[in-house]
Amino acid sequence: MYFAALLARTEDGWEASDTELDDVETLSDLTDLAREASVDEDTVLVYIEQEDAWFGILRVDGEEDPRIYVSDASAAARSSYGEILLTDELLGREPGAEDEIAALEELVDLDGTEDGEPDEADDGDAVTASDLDHDPDAVPAGPLGDLGVLADLGLSEKGLLTLRTEALAEIADALGAAEVLEAVR
């Protein structure tokens, strides 16, 4: 079960609305959605949570690049909405690198074995932790992104890291937006 909300800062405080993400397929789509909710190019937060698994925050300030925080990257990676937030840049990957590698692997057998020779992975050995350390597609467990995404709004890095369940309520409380959020939840 997913829940998504927009919190837009205005002259009079925060405005909250729940939002549907059915038409959102990319980070660009999500950023555009946030900018559409912005009043005078002020701060907009998009909050996405998958019940008891992870939550993510996208912060958009005018035309600046979006800032992202995800509470548990490995859990988010298994979610279609989480994958939107887990950009190559956030994961420390070269943008488009996995597409290039996949294309090369299609053209050339890069596993170092001769045709017809069994791969080492086929010998029945278990995958070890050191094998996973070198996986360029591995997503780290735990928090990932901009820990200071809400620091200037009243929620410190340490406070953000301690959030687990009911994170949105605690974030809204720190922002002074608990009442407006409760109206839409």
Side-chain angles (χ1 to χ4, degrees), residues 2-8 14-20 45-47 49 168-169 172 177-185:
Y2 290 96
F3 176 77
L6 286 167
L7 291 169
W14 291 93
E15 290 181 6
S17 60
D18 63 344
T19 188
E20 291 294 323
L45 303 174
V46 179
Y47 176 89
E49 79 176 15
L168 181 57
E179 289 181 19
V180 294
L181 180 66
E182 192 58 39
V184 299
R185 192 151 195 190

Side-chain angles (χ1 to χ4, degrees), residues 27 45-48 54-59 66-73 76 82 85-86 90 142-150 155-164 167 171:
L27 180 61
L45 303 174
V46 179
Y47 176 89
I48 302 170
W54 66 274
F55 70 89
I57 300 165
L58 172 83
R59 177 177 176 164
R67 296 168 60 191
I68 302 168
Y69 171 80
V70 177
S71 66
D72 186 337
L85 297 175
L86 296 174
L90 192 66
L144 187 65
D146 186 346
L147 294 175
V149 69
L150 300 175
L155 189 63
S156 69
E157 293 179 10
K158 183 179 179 183
L160 187 60
L161 286 170
T162 62
L163 296 178
R164 295 289 174 246
I171 291 168

Side-chain angles (χ1 to χ4, degrees), residues 49-95:
E49 79 176 15
Q50 183 178 3
E51 195 171 289
D52 296 329
W54 66 274
F55 70 89
I57 300 165
L58 172 83
R59 177 177 176 164
V60 176
D61 294 299
E63 291 300 315
E64 292 181 28
D65 287 341
R67 296 168 60 191
I68 302 168
Y69 171 80
V70 177
S71 66
D72 186 337
S74 63
R78 295 184 298 270
S79 154
S80 58
Y81 295 125
E83 286 180 341
I84 292 170
L85 297 175
L86 296 174
T87 63
D88 286 337
E89 182 180 340
L90 192 66
L91 293 168
R93 296 179 185 157
E94 182 79 26

Side-chain angles (χ1 to χ4, degrees), residues 94-167:
E94 182 79 26
E98 66 185 43
D99 295 336
E100 291 174 19
I101 291 169
L104 284 174
E105 286 176 345
E106 272 185 39
L107 294 173
V108 180
D109 183 12
L110 297 178
D111 69 356
T113 62
E114 296 291 328
D115 286 341
E117 188 178 307
D119 293 346
E120 287 181 30
D122 293 340
D123 65 3
D125 289 346
V127 176
T128 65
S130 63
D131 293 335
L132 296 177
D133 290 343
H134 301 295
D135 182 2
D137 295 329
V139 176
L144 187 65
D146 186 346
L147 294 175
V149 69
L150 300 175
D152 64 323
L153 300 174
L155 189 63
S156 69
E157 293 179 10
K158 183 179 179 183
L160 187 60
L161 286 170
T162 62
L163 296 178
R164 295 289 174 246
T165 59
E166 298 300 318

